[in-house]
Amino acid sequence: CGGATGWDGRLGSLFDSSPTAALQDRSPEALYAAGIQALQEQRYAQAGQIFDALEREHPFSTWATNAKLMSAYADYMRNRYTEAIGTLDRFIQLHPAHRDIAYAHYLRALSLYEQINDAQRDQRSTELAMAALQDVVNRFPETAYARDARLKMDLARDHLAGREMNIGRFYQRQRLLNAAIGRYRRVVEQYQTTNHVPEALHRLTEIYLSLGLREEAARTASVLGYNFPGSPWYQDSYALLTPGAAPSDAARPGLLRRAWGNIF
Amino acid sequence: QPRAGAPRAAQSGDVITSVVVRGNQRIEADTIRSYMLVQPGDVYESDRADRSLRTLFATGLFRDVRIGREGATLVVEVAENPIVNRVAFEGNRRISDDVLRQATQLRERSVLTPQLVQLDRQAILDIYARRGRFGAVVEPKLIELDQNRVNLVFEITEGPTALVARINFVGNTGFSDTRLRDVVATKEQAFYRILSTSDSFDPDRLAFDRELLRRYYLRNGYPDVQIGAATAELAPDRSGFFITFAINEGPRYTFGDIDITSAFPDLDPATLRRFLEVAPGGTYDGDAVERTSQALSDAANLRGFPFVEVQPQITRDTEARRANITFALTEGPRVYIERIDISGNTRTQDRVIRREFRLAEGDAFNAAQIRRSRDRIRNLGYFGDITINNTPGSAPDRTIVDARVVERATGEISLGGGFSTDAGFLADFGIRERNLGGTGIDARVNTTIAQRRSQVDLSVTDPSFLDRNLAIGGDVFYIQRDLRSVSGFDERRAGVSLRAGYEFNERLRQSWSYSLVQRRISNIQDGSSRFVVEQAGTTILSQVSQTLTYDVRDNPLDTRRGYVIRLGNDLAGLGGDVAYLRTRLDGALFLPLERLLGDPDFVLSISGSFGILNGFDSSRRDRIVDRFFLGGENLRGFAVAGAGPRDIASRDALGGRLMWTQSTELRFPLPVPSELGLVGRAFVDVGSLSRTVSGTGIGDDASPRVGAGVGVSWRSPFGLINIDVAQAIAKQSYDETQVVRFGFGTRF
Amino acid sequence: CGYLPPLPERPRDVFTTPAINRGHAVTADQLRQVTPGVSTRADVQAALGSPSQTGTFADGEWYYISSVSQVRPARALAVRDQRVVVVAFDGAGTVREVRQVEDREMPRVAFVTRETPTPGTERTIMQTLFGNIGRVGPGSSMTPQTPGSAGGGSGR
C-alpha cells in the first residue's frame, strides 16, 4: 500500500505514486481529516491508504490509533473482511483500554457476521459470528452495539435453525423418518426462540402420525397449539389429527403436484 | 539485553498510592496499568509485582521491563519493542518473495520480538530444506530507524541443491534393483528430471519410500519383510547423495488353505466363498487379503448384518512356506449414527453431499458404507479433499459422523488445440461449471472449430433431479461436417435432445433420450455417386433411444480388470422424415496379466460390437447419415469409412445397415521410466459392414476386413498424444486404407 | 491354475435394486429378553441398546424405529417394511408394555410442501454462475458477497 519506500526503508516521497503523495501537508491531523473526508465520499480504497500512511509516518501520535480503527472500517465497507479482522485484532491487542474498544469488538463481530453463508451451506462462519457477537454483548452490555449484536444473534440463530430444518426436510422427502425426527427435535430443543419451531412441531406431528404413534402426534400438536395458537402450522396439524377439519389453504398441494407426487 | 543494575529491593507491606509509567512511546500508560496486578491503593507484595512483570513481558510488546518503588509510588520502566517498517528478502533466486512472505509472521506495522525473528528464520530454512537445499544460510539483519521503527532484512545464501546421485538396495533377492527403483518415489538424478523435484534429497520422502517398499513386498509374497531406515551419505564432492535401503525379505510365501468362519448362526460361510480374492497356491498378497476382508464385511452388511468385523488370522507353515488364512467373521460393537455433520461446503449445498451418503442418521454405523460414501463424494469432482471420521456421540452406542470437505474451483474455461486424422487441425473453446451455484448441476458450453468439423453444443445435466435416483439433462447442438473426402458431401445437423437416466444398482444404469434433429446434406461434388446425389436436401429426425449399460470395470478411465456391456436402441419414426430401428450391442473385457507377466501394467482387452438397422416404413427410408460406417477409429488400418459398401465409380462410401467389429488389444509398459506416461499398444481389429442400398456399380461385400498394428499413447505435459501405425491385412480392392493415425489434443 | 487371470464374476440378479437396512432393527429374541413389569430402563438399554427416539415431551416411551429403503429407478427411495417397537414405562421406570405398531396403524400422510423462509444472503445469479472461477484458496472472502440484507455496518 501507499508510499513506495526505498530498499533501505527511507520513505522516498520523490517518486511516491500513491494518492497520499498529492497531499502537501503531511501532519497527522491533516492526513486524518483527508481520510475522514475520503470515507464520507465513499472512496474507501483511498481512505484505507491514507490511514495506513498516517499510521506509518506518525506511529506515536494519538491519531495513529484512530487511523487503525478507521482503516479497518474502510476495509469492512469494501467487503475485505479478513483484512479488517486482522487490523482490528491488532488494535484490540495494542489498545485494550482505548475509549472506542467497544466499537472495535463490534466491527470485528460484524465482519464475521457478513461472511455467513445461506442456510444450505457451511454454517461454521455463523458459529464464529455468534461467538463474536456474544462476546460484544458480554463485554459492553449497555452500549448500542450490544442491542444490535443481540438482534444479529437472533438472525444468526435463525440461520442455524434453518440449516437443521433443511436437513430434516431432506430426510423427510427421502422418507427416512427416524433421521428427520432427530433433526426436528434439535430445532425444538436448541432453537426455541427462532420462528422455525412451529414448522418443526408440525413436521413431528406429521411423522409420528405416519409412524402410527397417534398419542405422540396428539401430544406434539397440543404443544404446538398451546404455544402458537394462530400459526397456520397448527391449523395443518389440527387438520391431520381431526378428520374433516380443513388444513390452512397454503398447505393444499395443487392437482399437478399431487399427481406428480403419486407417480414419483 | 536488559540494562544492568538491579532495582532497589522494595519492602512488602507498604500501600501504593500511584503507579507511574516511564519510557513508553507508542503504548499508552493506562494500557500498561491495565496489565499490572498491583493497582493504586493495594498493598505492595513483591510476588504480585513479579507476576505483573511476567504478564507485561508475555504481551510481547516490550524489550525490557523493570518495576521499582520510589516511596509510595510504583515505577514501571519499559523499553518498547520496535515496530517493523518493512520486511525484505535478499538473495532468494529459487524461491519468490511472496512464497517466503506467506511463511513468515512478521508483517509491516507488526511488533518485532527476538523470538518471532528466530521463528521466521527457521520457517525460511524449512522451505529451503523441502526444496532439497540443505546448505542454505539465512541471516536476519535489523536496520534501526527513527521513532523506534526498524527494517528487517533476511539475507539468504541458497547454496547448491543436494540431488540424489544413486539409489541402491541391499538384501533384495526377490526383485531387481531397477524394479525397486521404479517402486520408490525418490528418483536418481537424470537429465530429463530437470523440471521435477523427485530427484532432490528429501528425508520425509525417504520415510515414505520405506513404506512404499514394505507395501510392495507385502503385495508380492513376503509377509515378514523388514525395511531398514534409508542411509544417505554425501558424495565427497558434495554434489549428491548415495541412498541405500537395507531390506530383510524373509521367506516368500504362497497361500495355503483358505477358510471362513462366521460367529452368526444364519450367515453361512460357504455362500461367502465367491468373494475370496485369494486362492490356495497363489503368491501371498497382503493387499488381496485386505480387499477380501473388506469384500466379506460388505457382503455381510448387505445381507442385514451391520455389525460385522472381519479379522484375517494368518498361520505360517514355515517348512512348506505356505500361509494358511482364516477369515473370522465376529460380532462388532453395536453402534448407531447419531448425526452426520457436513462442514467446509462454502459453495456446495448440504443436500448435494448428503444424498451421496449410503447411510442416514439413526442407521447402524458401518465402516464399509462410510468408505463407499466417501468414494461417491470424491467422484463428484467438486472437492479438493474429503475426510470422514467419527467422534463418540451422546450415548456409548452412538457416534457422530463428521464429514469435512475442501471446496475446489469447479468452473473451467478451457481452450484446446490439436490435430486428428478425422477432423484435421482443430481448436476448441469451452466454459464448464460442474457445480452450478452449488446445486450439483453440470452446465457446459463447448465450441470446436476444425478443418472438417465445426460444432457448438450447450448441455445442462442435473445428476439427481429432486434428490431422486434420476438424472435429467438437455443438449442443444449445431454440427457442421465436411465429408467430401469420405462420401462427397457436407453434412449439417442442428437439433435439441432431452435426456433422463437412472441406475438400478451400482453396476447397471439405463438412460433414455429423445432428440429432434434437422439434417441437411449440401454441396455435393459433381461426379459423386448417384446414391449420394439423391440424398441431398433436409430431413427431420425425431428419435427416441435407450441405452442399458452393465459396467463392472474397476476404474472407467484406466481400466485394469472387469468388463462393460452396453445395449443401445434408437427408434426413429414418431414423426420426422426417417423411420428405422437401429440396435447396437458392444462390450469390452479387460484381463490383467499381472500373474502371467508379473507387471500390473500388462492388460489384455478384448472388445466387440454388433449393429443392425432395419427400416419399417418404406415411404420414410433411412438416409446415408443414419447408417453405420466402418474404418478409422473402429477399424484401425483403414481410412475413415474406408471399409464397407462403396460406389465403385465415384469412390464414395455409402455406409451399411449391418456391422460387426472385434478388437483384441494388449497394453504394455515401455522400458522407459513410468513417470513419463508412455504406454504401448499392440492390436488386431476385425470388422465387416454390409447391406447397403441396392443398385449397380456398388461394391458391397460382407467378408471381414482385418487390420493389425502397434500404437503409443503419451500423456505429455502439453496433452495426450496418440499415434497408431496399422496395416490392413484382409481388404477388398475398393477399400481405402490408412497406415498412420495421429491424434493430439491439449487443454489448458 | 493360479496363473490364469481371474474369471470375471458371473452377472447375477442383474436388475435387483439394492435394499438398504435403515434405523435400529430390534430382533424377536432381543424383545423376549424384555419382560413387562420386571425390566427397568437399564435392562432395556442393555438388551436393545439406546432407543432411536424417546417421547418428545415425556420420557415415558422409548421407540425403536427401523425400515428398509429400496432404491427405485427414476423414483425416490421407497420404504419397505417400516417397523416401530414401542417400550412404555410406568412412573417407577419399569416396563409397562412392549408393543409393535401394526401396518394398518400407519396411514399415508401427505406432507405440507410450504417451508418457513430463512433470511440471509441471497446469491445473485451472476455470482452463483461465476462465483467460483479464479477462487483463491478455500473459504477466502475474495468473492464479494452482497452485504447481508439483515446486516449492514453502522459506522461512526
Side-chain angles (χ1 to χ4, degrees), chain B residues 274 304 334 336 346-347 358-360 362-363 397-398 406 408-411 433 436-437 468-470 502 504-505 507-508 550 561 563 589 592 595-596, chain C residues 2-3 5-6 8-9 11-12 14-18 20-24 30 49-52 71-76 123 128-129 132-133 135 138:
Chain B
R274 64 183 161 73
R334 306 179 67 82
Y336 292 86
T346 49
R347 229 176 84 63
R358 313 305 287 163
L359 300 160
D363 291 358
D397 64 351
R398 283 283 186 275
V406 175
R408 183 167 63 141
T410 52
E433 171 57 59
L436 188 64
R468 283 181 167 69
N469 167 18
L470 176 68
Y502 43 80
F504 286 92
N505 45 46
R507 297 168 169 204
L508 187 68
Y550 188 74
R561 168 199 298 266
Y563 57 89
L589 169 67
R595 290 252 168 76
L596 236 57
Chain C
Y3 281 103
E9 288 144 26
R12 60 211 179 302
V14 171
F15 282 94
T16 56
T17 55
I20 309 162
N21 299 320
R22 298 283 185 190
H24 185 138
Q30 278 172 329
S50 29
S52 302
V71 174
R72 289 179 300 175
R75 303 179 66 182
R123 287 177 172 248
T128 43
L129 260 183
N132 196 15
I133 292 183
R135 161 187 280 275

Side-chain angles (χ1 to χ4, degrees), chain B residues 122-123 125 130 146 152 157 170 200-201 216 226 285 293 301 313 327 338 409 416 459 483 534 553 590 618 632 643:
Chain B
Q122 190 48 45
L125 283 174
R130 262 203 302 284
D146 57 0
L152 174 63
T157 43
V170 169
S200 61
F201 175 74
Y216 183 78
Q226 272 124 23
D285 176 349
S293 321
N301 292 334
Q313 289 140 0
F327 291 96
E338 180 173 349
S459 109
L483 299 173
E534 69 187 7
R553 293 172 297 179
F590 296 90
S618 58

Side-chain angles (χ1 to χ4, degrees), chain A residues 185 199 203 206 216 263, chain C residues 54 56 63 75 112 114 116:
Chain A
R185 289 280 299 273
E199 182 185 355
R203 297 292 181 200
E206 279 175 346
E216 192 60 37
I263 301 168
Chain C
T54 60
T56 315
Y63 306 118
R75 303 179 66 182
V112 165
R114 189 176 70 251
T116 319

Side-chain angles (χ1 to χ4, degrees), chain B residues 42 62 74 93 168 200 208 216 256 318 417 429 492 543 547 615 656:
Chain B
D42 294 355
F62 308 105
L74 197 67
R93 279 194 326 283
N168 33 42
S200 61
F208 176 58
Y216 183 78
T318 43
F429 167 76
R492 189 170 58 80
Q543 167 182 288
T547 314

Side-chain angles (χ1 to χ4, degrees), chain B residues 296-369:
Chain B
L296 288 176
S297 101
D298 277 6
N301 292 334
L302 291 181
R303 298 241 181 99
F305 295 88
F307 305 110
V308 164
E309 255 180 20
V310 179
Q311 271 108 8
Q313 289 140 0
I314 302 169
T315 52
R316 289 184 175 72
D317 170 352
T318 43
E319 294 79 23
R321 293 270 170 75
R322 285 159 53 88
N324 309 324
I325 299 183
T326 315
F327 291 96
L329 273 74
T330 53
E331 172 97 19
R334 306 179 67 82
V335 175
Y336 292 86
I337 295 180
E338 180 173 349
R339 219 180 37 251
I340 298 179
D341 286 339
I342 295 175
S343 64
N345 53 335
T346 49
R347 229 176 84 63
T348 312
Q349 286 180 348
D350 182 280
R351 65 182 174 80
V352 170
I353 305 167
R354 199 170 288 273
R355 69 187 178 208
E356 296 297 333
F357 262 93
R358 313 305 287 163
L359 300 160
E361 295 171 354
D363 291 358
F365 179 79
N366 161 347
Q369 299 284 29

